Amino acid sequence: MPSSGIAPESRHGVRGSTGLELARTDRIISALSWWWASAPVLLFAPAIAYAMGLPDVRREIGWMFGLTALFTAAVAPTAGFVVAQVKDRREARGRFLIMATVSSVPILCFLFFGVLFPECPEGYHC
């Protein structure tokens, strides 16, 4: 025990807590990065299950995996960018911007070919 009677953790004040806060921020950023990296696995999980001899997975809940992959691809980079912006982590901000750019390509393709393009009336070549 120090002679001042103050515990070593509380003697440092805010400076002592920044190391813990930085470690927590790094863990959050890593978790969001891994979450984003799981999107392709989620997208192809029904096809993998079908190849392994489980056609019911693809037929019954395959759409749920697709929506989860779409949600993951959109939310993980956004949440990571917000965390990196608030905690002033420049490298992580750039990484999440790249993730958002990479994620936007399949999302826009899904929206264009899956939603907008099929709405073309019969007989027209949209």
Side-chain angles (χ1 to χ4, degrees), residues 45-66:
I48 294 168
Y50 183 76
M52 292 176 60
L54 300 168
D56 294 337
V57 172
R58 184 176 182 182
R59 191 173 31 247
E60 293 175 10
I61 60 170
W63 62 272
M64 189 183 333
F65 283 100

Side-chain angles (χ1 to χ4, degrees), residues 86-108:
V86 168
K87 298 298 181 178
D88 197 30
R89 306 292 294 218
R90 184 172 293 168
E91 299 89 21
R93 237 186 334 225
R95 181 175 28 174
F96 285 113
L97 281 175
I98 292 170
M99 287 179 186
T101 304
V102 170
S103 292
S104 68
V105 172
I107 291 171
L108 290 175

Side-chain angles (χ1 to χ4, degrees), residues 32-90:
L32 289 169
S33 297
W34 280 106
W35 183 33
W36 178 79
S38 72
V41 176
L42 290 169
L43 185 63
F44 293 118
I48 294 168
Y50 183 76
M52 292 176 60
L54 300 168
D56 294 337
V57 172
R58 184 176 182 182
R59 191 173 31 247
E60 293 175 10
I61 60 170
W63 62 272
M64 189 183 333
F65 283 100
L67 287 178
T68 305
L70 187 66
F71 179 76
T72 297
V75 173
T78 306
F81 182 78
V82 169
V83 169
Q85 183 73 23
V86 168
K87 298 298 181 178
D88 197 30
R89 306 292 294 218
R90 184 172 293 168

